[in-house]
Amino acid sequence: MPSFSLAALTVLELAPPAMIDVAAACGYQQVGLRMLPAMPGGVAYPLMDNEAGLKETLARLDATGVTVADLEVVALRPETEIAAFSAFFETGARLGAKHILVADYDPDLSRFSDRYASFCEAAAPFGLTADLEFMPWTCAPDLATASSIVAQVGQPNAGVLVDALHFDRSRSSIDDLARIPAHFLHYWQMCDAPAERPATTEAMIDAARRERMFPGEGGIDLVALACAMPADITISLEVPTAELAKTMDAKARSQRALDAARNVIARSLDGADHRGSRDG
């Protein structure tokens, strides 16, 4: 079994120390921390600006043995200044984080690529990868665009982040994924969703941020996706369920996500002896 990380969006009501305790109690090896909001005014826990909160988070990591997989969310826009992320990088290094989730909100792909390359260079001394998550409503809407950008910048810590939901909604394909160099893939995100795609971009965004399904309970072919991914990279379970959260606590939802993901991976292992055989 690969290692599993509890994504921030699954339990966004929990501050990092409480989230770490839930992850440990359920059997996750890692967590992802949302230190920057996904959108202006969104929920985030900026530990780089909260020394007491950072120390408490470090103490919970030390006590539980849970580690930090990734930090969220860096939205690179035309006006973004890379120098503004110094404290973010330094805090990530203190937390022992491995990856940063990056999103493209610059319609000029040449300008974005230059800024993304600079971001990768700035993150590298702190031991952090910069993983470009393609999402249909961003300026990197699909796997082909994201992988082309990562190839173009040529930074060793640049990567493509595959989220099962966005992979499906962007109509990216397993054949596309098979052509991606394995060293572009540092971790990936698992969830499920109805087979029928939302009719509007607004509905797609709302579903992505608020209402997903637990792995194996929807219409995405997660077994095929798992078979196509490198076997030894972390799987982040990103399953926001806003309605269910009204009646089911964070620990119960986190446990349900983990149990469901383990079942998907077990099924993929049963039918894919070739998993993990990709070349780097």
Side-chain angles (χ1 to χ4, degrees):
M1 283 281 180
S3 64
F4 291 98
S5 177
L6 178 59
L9 194 55
T10 304
V11 289
L12 200 53
E13 71 269 33
L14 298 183
M19 181 188 182
I20 291 162
D21 285 342
V22 164
C26 292
Y28 289 84
Q29 293 85 20
Q30 297 171 281
V31 293
L33 302 180
R34 181 159 290 192
M35 300 203 324
L36 294 168
M39 54 187 172
V43 175
Y45 300 93
L47 294 177
M48 58 281 188
D49 302 325
N50 180 0
E51 184 64 23
L54 176 59
K55 287 182 176 178
E56 185 181 1
T57 299
L58 290 168
R60 297 318 303 152
L61 292 170
D62 186 58
T64 60
V66 170
T67 60
V68 177
D70 66 293
L71 308 176
E72 304 177 346
V73 176
V74 171
L76 294 182
R77 306 178 189 277
E79 67 275 13
T80 302
E81 297 289 343
I82 303 304
F85 292 101
S86 295
F88 180 85
F89 294 143
E90 291 166 2
T91 302
R94 288 179 66 182
L95 289 163
K98 301 299 183 187
H99 317 296
I100 300 170
L101 189 158
V102 178
D104 178 4
Y105 287 96
D106 187 342
D108 184 331
L109 288 185
S110 176
R111 182 174 58 199
F112 172 78
S113 294
D114 288 345
R115 183 170 277 106
Y116 176 50
S118 297
F119 184 86
C120 290
E121 291 174 351
F126 299 93
L128 292 158
T129 67
D131 298 272
L132 178 57
E133 181 176 18
F134 59 93
M135 294 171 267
W137 59 87
T138 67
C139 301
D142 52 31
L143 176 63
T145 304
S147 59
S148 176
I149 291 169
V150 169
Q152 179 184 333
V153 302
Q155 296 293 322
N157 62 331
V160 175
L161 177 55
V162 176
D163 178 313
L165 180 69
H166 306 321
F167 182 86
D168 178 82
R169 284 1 187 187
S170 67
R171 301 181 187 273
S172 298
S173 73
I174 296 296
D175 287 342
D176 293 335
L177 186 55
R179 289 189 284 270
I180 304 300
H183 67 269
F184 282 11
L185 302 168
H186 302 131
Y187 73 110
W188 65 286
Q189 295 177 324
M190 184 188 288
C191 68
D192 215 330
E196 184 177 354
R197 296 179 175 93
T200 67
T201 298
E202 291 73 21
M204 190 181 298
I205 293 172
D206 185 68
R209 291 177 174 168
R210 299 184 69 255
E211 294 294 347
R212 303 193 189 192
M213 299 175 74
F214 295 101
E217 297 183 12
I220 299 176
D221 190 349
L222 293 176
V223 172
L225 183 56
C227 288
M229 296 297 294
D232 58 349
I233 62 174
T234 294
I235 301 174
S236 172
L237 302 186
E238 186 170 70
V239 193
T241 49
E243 274 305 307
L244 186 62
K246 296 175 182 178
T247 58
M248 181 180 287
D249 68 21
K251 182 178 182 297
R253 298 188 333 265
S254 300
Q255 190 69 64
R256 183 168 166 182
L258 182 58
D259 292 344
R262 284 173 170 162
N263 184 54
V264 168
I265 295 302
R267 287 165 56 206
S268 74
L269 292 172
D270 286 342
D273 293 336
H274 62 279
R275 274 189 98 231
S277 63
R278 297 180 53 155
D279 294 330

